[in-house]
Amino acid sequence: MKAADKAKHRTDMISSALRSAILERVLMPGMKLPEDSLGERFGVSRTLIRQSLERLAAEGLVELRRNKGAAVAKPSLEEARDLFELRTQIEDLVISRVIKNMSPEILGELEAHLAKEVEAENASEPISIRLATEFHILLARLAGSPVLLRYVEEIGYRCGLTLSLYARPHSTDCGIQEHRQIIEALAKGDEDAARKLMRHHLTAVADRALFTTKERGPLLYLDALEPYAKKVRDGTS
């Protein structure tokens, strides 16, 4: 492997590792990402770390601040609302393209990813969020449009970060079932049904993440207490 190809491969691996750590909330929003420390951790030069951070910044997961270094992005709720609205429009196009390209191979890839989501259902919620985000990116890749893929990646990762930051605790089975229904509609070639299911799914995801009124805001904290409260109710604390 040529030196340039080897460096690109390493950058890809670092970007993927940092992306997963951010979406799974190992690296929290606002956390600083010093190039020297990351370089030591990954055993690579600061140049490769900088390239990886620049890539994640283009995806909206990292903020590059002048004279302050990089940090995990911390999107506002206002920005998140705009992202979810834009995402619905773009994924309409994705559904149309995937329907046209549908094949046994594409169906197999979608079902294989769904199996990963089912397997991780009892894992931590951040891992489920990452896999759910990757489902939509897989759909965009299968659409066969580099332009759509680029935009879905950026918006999808940013929405995934928003979910990790703001979303209320919920059963991952909801999202998995919604993904399953979308795949079934695609397999049947029913574009209208697939679009409606996708819009319903993205609306449900947004509702879990966005708090649009003052009355709903406190639910962010009360819902977070639910696992502890349940133990008290069940008498298991």
Side-chain angles (χ1 to χ4, degrees), residues 1-12 14 48 51:
M1 184 182 293
K2 296 181 180 179
D5 292 337
K6 185 175 181 180
K8 183 181 182 303
H9 178 66
R10 296 281 279 179
T11 302
D12 290 343
I14 295 166
L48 293 185
Q51 291 172 353

Side-chain angles (χ1 to χ4, degrees), residues 31-34 53 62-65 68-72:
M31 184 177 289
K32 294 181 179 179
L33 300 170
L53 293 176
V62 167
E63 294 177 354
L64 301 178
R65 304 171 298 181
K68 293 184 179 180
V72 179

